[in-house]
């Protein structure tokens, strides 16, 4: 069944209609039905993007996969959280920073995916200042300045090496430029004839041989925090006001890129901008399990404060000295956004809350042991029924059975 058909089937469902066109509705949707409910909000509504907040990264990944099945890969993206802790001397994964940069750019260009899924730790994390780097798009037949292109890529956080093996690597051999873009699944080889791009191909890391020919490549930055002149100026000022961090401020004021530099974002930017601040008023925000999201946000803030307290003693500072935080309070999330809000809880919180019912069947349990009888019973009880399966093969078998 196509998504429009599912939308028409559920079009009179109060739980779905309640989520569209109202300022702040709350609905109860069990986890197995959330992807279907959100997909129908997209199909029946006009607000874009639909930003879905979930309590954890694992839940974000599951929901993204389910939504891709219903809406297609181009309609869904995830805004991942950094995998690192505050003050850690390790930078987030290049792929993570690239994906975040790509999504933020899509919001800037008013061309976001229909649905953005984000764990709460990504949503309460402050964003780095806009570094001014738009994606570098190179197509076959383009004329480029090799030296300038390489310099731009290095400024975007790419690391020159003798051979490309990991995301964020770039290598130059004569008229050949190899690069592994931060959001790509494979590295790309740019063959030049003079200043003209003669050929673009993907290549294998294992044997460095070209594989698939490309028409163009889109290259996003592989770092979120770039030492722009403004950042360098701020780091220079911190040398006097916060001498305990001289090691980091010196390197940042010199424009260096180094592992763990992202930890110092709160000192380098006075803004407390978060993702929702960049979402337009015609978007829709859906918060899954709001109490769990709020509790998770509180835990993250408490962990950061505890870590700051421990490190302050290591740096010889007063125990009660307050540091600027990388994360913001849960209540701050929507303070600057005009997008309406929908909350989805697992169970109804009051008798008047609309409920989207969901059920499954298990060969070892009573009525649910027979899929056909289960569906027929629901139909006789007046339900509109949508059956979801793990894969196309299972769906085909169920269709034949029905």
């Amino acid at each position: 069944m196509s998504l429009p058909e599912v939308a028409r089937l559920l079009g009179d469902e109060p739980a779905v209609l309640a989520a569209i066109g109202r300022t702040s509705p709350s609905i109860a949707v069990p986890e197995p039905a959330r992807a279907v409910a959100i997909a129908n909000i997209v199909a029946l509504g006009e607000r874009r993007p639909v930003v879905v907040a979930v309590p954890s990264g694992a839940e974000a990944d599951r929901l993204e996969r389910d939504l891709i099945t219903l809406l297609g890969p181009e309609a869904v993206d995830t805004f991942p959280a950094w995998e690192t802790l505050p003050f850690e001397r390790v930078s987030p994964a290049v792929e993570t920073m690239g994906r975040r940069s790509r999504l933020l750019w899509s919001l800037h260009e008013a061309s976001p995916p229909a649905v953005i899924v984000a764990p709460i730790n990504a949503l309460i994390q402050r964003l780095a200042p806009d570094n001014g780097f738009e994606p570098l798009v190179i197509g076959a037949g383009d004329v480029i300045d090799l030296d300038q292109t390489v310099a731009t890529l290095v400024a975007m956080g790419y690391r020159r090496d003798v051979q490309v093996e990991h995301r964020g690597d770039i290598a130059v051999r004569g008229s050949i430029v190899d690069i592994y873009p931060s959001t790509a699944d494979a590295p790309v080889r740019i063959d030049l004839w003079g200043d003209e791009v003669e050929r673009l191909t993907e290549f294998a890391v294992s044997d460095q041989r070209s594989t698939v020919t490309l028409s163009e490549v889109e290259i996003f930055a592989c770092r979120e925090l770039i030492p722009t002149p403004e950042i360098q100026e701020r780091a220079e000022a911190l040398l006097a006001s916060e001498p305990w961090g001289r090691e980091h401020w010196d390197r940042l004021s010199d424009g260096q890129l180094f592992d763990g530099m992202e930890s110092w974002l709160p000192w380098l930017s006075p803004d407390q901008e978060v993702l929702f601040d960049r979402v337009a008023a015609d978007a829709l925000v859906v918060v899954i399990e709001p109490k769990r999201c709020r509790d998770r946000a509180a835990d993250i803030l408490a962990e950061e404060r505890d870590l700051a307290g421990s490190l302050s003693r290591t740096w010889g500072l007063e125990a009660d000295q307050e540091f600027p935080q990388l994360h913001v309070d849960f209540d701050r999330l929507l303070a600057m956004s005009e997008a309406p809000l929908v909350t989805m809880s697992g169970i109804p919180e009051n008798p008047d809350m609309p409920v989207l019912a969901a059920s499954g069947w298990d060969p070892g349990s009573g009525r649910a042991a027979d899929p056909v009888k289960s569906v027929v019973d629901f139909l006789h009880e007046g339900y509109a029924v949508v059956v979801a399966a793990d894969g196309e093969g299972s769906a085909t078998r169920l269709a034949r059975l029905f």
Side-chain angles (χ1 to χ4, degrees):
M1 179 177 291
S2 68
L3 183 61
E5 291 173 315
V6 173
R8 285 194 294 272
L9 179 60
L10 294 181
D12 294 328
E13 175 64 51
V16 175
L17 294 180
I20 302 171
R22 290 175 52 185
T23 303
S24 184
S26 297
I27 56 179
V29 183
E31 184 175 3
R34 285 173 188 161
V36 173
I38 294 167
N40 279 277
I41 288 174
V42 174
L44 297 172
E46 297 180 356
R47 291 189 171 276
R48 298 291 186 274
V50 176
V51 186
V52 185
V54 295
S56 70
E59 288 167 283
D61 291 340
R62 286 198 300 271
L63 184 58
E64 180 192 27
R65 289 194 297 269
D66 290 345
L67 287 169
I68 286 174
T69 300
L70 294 168
L71 297 170
E74 299 301 319
V76 186
D77 201 359
T78 295
F79 187 65
W82 290 353
E83 310 89 350
T84 54
L85 295 172
F87 314 109
E88 195 171 10
R89 292 177 179 262
V90 177
S91 290
V94 168
E95 181 184 9
T96 297
M97 292 189 285
R99 291 177 63 190
R100 287 166 57 91
S101 297
R102 181 180 62 191
L103 194 141
L104 291 171
W105 177 255
S106 75
L107 292 173
H108 179 269
E109 290 296 288
S111 58
V115 183
I116 299 170
V117 183
I120 196 63
N121 53 338
L123 292 172
I124 65 171
Q125 180 187 306
R126 292 166 56 178
L127 301 179
D130 184 5
N131 55 42
F133 282 116
E134 59 185 72
L136 185 62
V137 181
I138 299 175
D142 287 353
V143 176
I144 64 172
D145 182 313
L146 175 58
D147 292 338
Q148 181 59 49
T149 299
V150 172
T152 299
L153 291 169
V154 170
M156 294 167 67
Y158 286 85
R159 183 186 61 183
R160 291 195 66 165
D161 209 335
V162 294
Q163 183 171 288
V164 167
E165 296 181 344
H166 308 285
R167 286 188 180 88
D169 287 351
I170 180 174
V172 181
R173 301 188 311 280
S175 61
I176 296 176
V177 180
D178 288 346
I179 184 167
Y180 204 146
S182 58
T183 59
D185 293 327
V188 175
R189 177 160 294 149
I190 305 171
D191 285 289
L192 297 172
W193 178 260
D195 291 336
E196 182 179 347
V197 178
E198 184 178 33
R199 190 171 66 144
L200 285 169
T201 55
E202 290 184 350
F203 67 91
V205 169
S206 57
D207 58 14
Q208 298 289 303
R209 292 184 178 180
S210 297
T211 54
V212 180
T213 300
L214 305 174
S215 59
E216 70 174 23
V217 59
E218 189 175 42
I219 305 171
F220 286 88
C222 60
R223 284 194 182 269
E224 290 182 64
L225 181 62
I226 300 291
T228 60
E230 293 77 16
I231 293 293
Q232 289 178 264
E233 182 179 345
R234 177 63 177 159
E236 182 74 27
L238 287 168
L239 285 169
S241 62
E242 304 285 352
W244 56 268
R246 174 174 293 277
E247 174 192 354
H248 318 294
W249 315 143
D250 269 335
R251 299 170 78 178
L252 287 161
S253 63
D254 288 340
Q256 297 181 33
L257 300 173
F258 57 93
D259 280 347
M261 60 186 292
E262 292 78 13
S263 289
W264 309 108
L265 168 63
W267 281 266
L268 299 167
S269 174
D271 298 329
Q272 292 197 357
E273 191 178 31
V274 293
L275 179 69
F276 286 146
D277 297 344
R278 300 194 187 182
V279 171
D282 57 355
L284 178 69
V285 174
V286 179
V287 178
I288 305 293
E289 300 283 5
K291 185 180 184 305
R292 285 184 58 211
C293 285
R294 180 182 291 276
D295 291 345
R296 177 59 182 143
D299 289 342
I300 292 169
L301 283 166
E303 290 169 6
E304 184 175 355
R305 282 192 292 268
D306 290 344
L307 186 56
S310 299
L311 289 175
S312 66
R313 292 188 291 274
T314 301
W315 294 327
L317 302 175
E318 296 294 334
D320 59 350
Q321 179 166 341
E322 291 189 5
F323 290 153
Q325 290 200 277
L326 178 63
H327 301 95
V328 303
D329 291 329
F330 181 83
D331 291 334
R332 162 66 181 82
L333 288 186
L334 293 170
M336 305 296 291
S337 175
E338 298 178 7
L341 171 69
V342 174
T343 61
M344 286 187 183
S345 301
I347 57 176
E349 297 173 356
N350 59 69
D352 298 324
M353 180 180 286
V355 178
L356 180 62
S359 181
W361 51 77
D362 183 337
S365 62
R367 156 179 152 170
D370 183 351
V372 175
K373 184 178 186 305
S374 177
V375 169
V376 169
D377 287 348
F378 283 131
L379 291 172
H380 285 167
E381 292 170 13
Y383 284 95
V385 180
V386 175
V387 178
D390 286 338
E392 186 174 351
S394 298
T396 301
R397 287 191 294 274
L398 284 170
R400 290 173 181 163
L401 184 64
F402 292 136

